[in-house]
Amino acid sequence: MEHQPALPFLRETLLFLTLVGILIPLLQRFRMNQVLGFLVVGVLVGPYGFGLWVDQWPWLETFTFARGPGVQSLAELGVIFLMFLIGLELSVQRMWSLRHWVFLGGMVQVLLSSFVIGSLAYFFGNSLQVAMVLGLVLSLSSTAVVMQLLSQHRALAKPLGQATFAILMLQDLAVVPLLILVDLLASKSTEGIAQAMSWTALKSVGVVLLIFVIGRRAIRPVFRLFARQHQPEVFMALTLLIALSTAGATAAAGLSLALGAFLAGLLLAETEYRHEVEVTIEPFKGLLMGLFFMSVGMAIDLREVANHPFWIAVSVIGLMAIKTLVSTAVFRAGGMPWGKSLEGGMLLAQGGEFAFIVIGVAATMQLLQPDVAQFMLLVVSLSLMVTPLVAKVGKTLGERLDRLNPSSGAALEEADAPESLAGHMVIAGQGRVGQLLADVFRKQAVPYVAIEHDAQIVSRLAKLGRPVYYGNAARLDLLHKLHTARATALIVTMDQPAAAMHTVKVAREAYPALPIFARSRDERHAHELRAVGATAVVPETLEAGLQLSSFALHTLGLPQGNIAVALQDERESRVRGE
């Protein structure tokens, strides 16, 4: 009788942990991309690598993942935690602050790339359903690879980094409806497909809304209760419980485990415990990412490269060329200079990790033939492997283009005001109110610098010679670069309440004596800004009402002095919340 291990897939788990323990330090030491390293190792130790020779040399089984179920279990666990980590990086607030890039730039990039790639797939003899799936899935880029490259070059806070992150955000969100579409297309039933799509969409929206409503009400109190314990293992257990239970809830509703994990991360990203969760799972982040990408490498059969070397090479080059052209056009239309646009286009040229998920699901449901699925997995994998080189070439070409037209690219660098600047005004935000302030200061010869997170506004104003820099005003290092410690005052004009609150709070903690004047939406927002340290607050709705009251009282013949006193009393009482 064959001896069964006490734990299922124990050998595979031990082998994976051993490989990760050796691989991660080596990749970090030689500054190699971890994603590519895990992919290559996955290919070598997978069923289509050394696993092919297990029958000839049985001792190889100790060092390979030759059994399908073990690999599949590792892959599913890796997908769950990959989606959870991505959800944790996002937040409704962050998506809203980048909404133009997320919902316009990202949508255009996905739809246009899908149309071109899907049309080519249909031209080469694939059915309409298969062409739709391939077009959509290959339009997505690798969040993991691109984010790691941006982090390595410290470019996440720059305009190109923010715009790239926003487009990747939309792509991450697009995976859920894409999985639903695959499920519908795999049914091969044209009758009632509209009803099926409507019912699936309604069920999906209902489940997501239910999770959000319950999650928003439950997560904070639960974390608040357990946070009092000050025990890291309790916090870790609670984090895992929320991630896995939410994934289980979506699976029970007929949706994917990955969707539930993503929603769990998104819910935690909205709480004040987000950073604590990030710190708690940071030691496991590389492990979980490696788990996913190594399992992806295990599914790749390199023998197919030898069978179709020409078409695979052409497909990789074609895919990356199409996505480079489309993404470059999107960045350029969003106000980026040509050099930065090309750099961003080549950065997003590869296929994404979600292709492995979607293509795997489509192949399991027999929507894609096994040979087509394996071919596409190879194309995506090879595009991922050459991405660091392609990105480096894109950066070099982009810098050369911007040097040919320096005025277009210089405006979008992070704030770095002249060292001699002192006694100036710092304006956070260059919307209508911020530009009005800048015009007044300029006419009165008052020195100022402004910071704005919208690349189009920065580019336009910089061309007019205005001292406007790109960046997030809530970042302390950028405030230091603007020499805010030597400024006369900081004026916060952003129209997003959360962003204004964060900026005032950060600035007050860093510069206790600095006068901070802020614009608010209404009296409630004004009271919150005062509570976090604003010296004076001007509610825009309140000031409009008071100005109209002044005109009306003046027509009644009241003395101007009495009107001024009455309005000031009303202003102060409302801002104080009385």
Side-chain angles (χ1 to χ4, degrees):
M1 181 176 179
E2 186 180 355
H3 175 68
Q4 294 295 328
L7 293 174
F9 314 123
L10 177 61
R11 185 188 64 82
E12 287 86 349
T13 304
L14 292 175
L15 177 57
F16 169 74
L17 292 174
T18 303
L19 289 170
V20 170
I22 297 172
L23 191 60
I24 289 181
L26 284 176
L27 293 173
Q28 290 176 342
R29 180 176 180 180
F30 294 104
R31 297 183 179 180
M32 296 174 62
N33 187 280
Q34 288 191 9
V35 171
L36 304 185
F38 282 119
L39 277 172
V40 171
V41 171
V43 171
L44 293 177
V45 301
Y48 304 110
F50 294 137
L52 292 172
W53 290 283
V54 167
D55 291 336
Q56 290 179 274
W57 297 295
W59 58 269
L60 276 177
E61 185 176 3
T62 307
F63 307 101
T64 57
F65 295 87
R67 294 204 314 240
V71 173
Q72 186 62 31
S73 298
L74 289 173
E76 289 178 357
L77 191 60
V79 169
I80 290 172
F81 283 105
L82 176 66
M83 292 297 288
F84 175 72
L85 291 170
I86 289 172
L88 197 61
E89 290 288 334
L90 307 181
S91 70
V92 175
Q93 175 188 332
R94 193 170 188 184
M95 284 191 287
W96 184 250
S97 67
L98 296 169
R99 58 189 178 278
H100 298 299
W101 280 112
V102 174
F103 298 110
L104 186 58
M107 191 73 72
V108 170
Q109 186 274 330
V110 169
L111 292 179
L112 193 53
S113 298
S114 300
F115 176 76
V116 176
I117 297 169
S119 298
L120 283 173
Y122 185 71
F123 176 78
F124 278 96
N126 292 286
S127 66
L128 181 60
Q129 291 89 340
V130 170
M132 285 176 61
V133 171
L134 292 179
L136 286 166
V137 75
L138 294 178
S139 71
L140 309 182
S141 305
S142 173
T143 301
V145 172
V146 174
M147 291 296 287
Q148 188 174 32
L149 290 173
L150 289 172
S151 298
Q152 286 176 355
H153 296 104
R154 298 181 180 178
L156 274 172
K158 295 185 178 181
L160 180 61
Q162 291 286 291
T164 303
F165 175 77
I167 291 175
L168 289 171
M169 246 194 279
L170 188 281
Q171 293 182 0
D172 293 340
L173 294 173
V175 174
V176 175
L178 179 53
L179 287 171
I180 295 171
L181 178 64
V182 169
D183 187 36
L184 290 172
L185 293 177
S187 66
K188 301 184 184 300
S189 173
T190 56
E191 296 181 5
I193 191 169
Q195 291 87 342
M197 290 185 68
S198 300
W199 168 243
T200 304
L202 183 62
K203 182 175 67 172
S204 304
V205 171
V207 170
V208 170
L209 289 177
L210 185 62
I211 288 173
F212 261 92
V213 170
I214 296 175
R216 286 197 167 195
R217 291 181 178 274
I219 284 181
R220 273 192 174 91
V222 170
F223 266 95
R224 193 177 299 119
L225 175 64
F226 285 95
R228 295 173 185 170
Q229 308 291 329
H230 300 289
Q231 294 177 324
E233 61 273 18
V234 174
F235 202 89
M236 182 66 183
L238 184 59
T239 301
L240 292 175
L241 174 63
I242 290 174
L244 294 176
S245 60
T246 310
T250 54
L255 303 174
S256 67
L257 287 165
L259 172 59
F262 175 79
L263 292 176
L266 201 60
L267 283 169
L268 285 171
E270 293 294 310
T271 70
E272 61 270 30
Y273 302 100
R274 169 186 178 176
H275 298 297
E276 183 67 23
V277 172
E278 288 177 340
V279 171
T280 301
I281 67 172
E282 184 62 33
F284 303 94
K285 190 172 183 179
L287 180 68
L288 298 173
M289 295 289 282
L291 182 63
F292 173 73
F293 285 105
M294 195 179 290
S295 65
V296 165
M298 294 174 204
I300 298 171
D301 188 351
L302 289 179
R303 293 174 298 181
E304 291 296 319
V305 177
N307 293 336
H308 310 284
F310 173 77
W311 284 113
I312 286 178
V314 169
S315 298
V316 172
I317 295 171
L319 171 67
M320 301 190 81
I322 290 169
K323 294 184 69 175
T324 294
L325 291 174
V326 171
S327 299
T328 299
V330 169
F331 283 124
R332 181 57 184 161
M336 293 283 174
W338 275 112
K340 294 295 181 186
S341 298
L342 178 61
E343 181 182 346
M346 296 183 76
L347 194 60
L348 292 174
Q350 76 290 130
E353 55 268 10
F354 290 118
F356 300 106
I357 300 172
V358 176
I359 290 175
V361 170
T364 302
M365 294 182 171
Q366 298 182 344
L367 179 62
L368 287 179
Q369 295 299 318
D371 57 336
V372 175
Q374 184 61 231
F375 183 90
M376 290 304 166
L377 287 177
L378 280 172
V379 170
V380 173
S381 301
L382 292 173
S383 72
L384 282 168
M385 290 180 180
V386 300
T387 291
L389 176 61
V390 172
K392 187 175 182 179
V393 172
K395 186 174 179 61
T396 302
L397 292 176
E399 289 174 350
R400 289 183 181 177
L401 273 176
D402 284 339
R403 278 198 294 270
L404 295 175
N405 186 16
S407 62
S408 67
L412 294 179
E413 294 302 319
E414 284 190 339
D416 197 4
E419 286 292 334
S420 59
L421 194 62
H424 56 293
M425 300 290 181
V426 178
I427 307 174
Q430 280 294 279
R432 291 173 299 173
V433 176
Q435 290 182 43
L436 174 60
L437 282 168
D439 289 340
V440 172
F441 292 155
R442 193 169 56 256
K443 291 174 182 176
Q444 298 300 318
V446 175
Y448 78 93
V449 291
I451 188 166
E452 169 60 45
H453 74 278
D454 190 316
Q456 287 182 296
I457 294 177
V458 174
S459 182
R460 177 170 54 83
L461 293 177
K463 288 178 181 178
L464 298 175
R466 308 286 191 261
V468 180
Y469 301 91
Y470 177 85
N472 179 359
R475 286 182 56 198
L476 187 56
D477 56 339
L478 294 187
L479 291 176
H480 287 333
K481 287 185 177 183
L482 292 171
H483 309 299
T484 307
R486 304 201 300 258
T488 300
L490 168 66
I491 308 171
V492 180
T493 69
M494 292 101 80
D495 59 356
Q496 293 96 2
M501 285 275 293
H502 194 196
T503 300
V504 171
K505 184 177 180 180
V506 168
R508 177 52 69 218
E509 291 175 355
Y511 314 109
L514 178 69
I516 301 176
F517 309 121
R519 160 203 181 190
S520 71
R521 284 280 183 91
D522 49 34
E523 296 97 309
R524 179 182 177 183
H525 185 212
H527 182 63
E528 292 171 346
L529 288 170
R530 289 285 291 270
V532 296
T535 308
V537 183
V538 178
E540 55 188 34
T541 55
L542 174 61
E543 290 304 316
L546 293 176
Q547 188 68 34
L548 291 171
S549 300
S550 175
F551 292 146
L553 293 174
H554 183 70
T555 60
L556 296 175
L558 270 68
Q560 193 64 39
N562 292 355
I563 295 174
V565 170
L567 296 184
Q568 184 61 25
D569 288 343
E570 184 67 21
R571 179 182 293 112
E572 291 180 357
S573 67
R574 285 183 174 270
V575 171
R576 288 196 303 265
E578 297 176 353

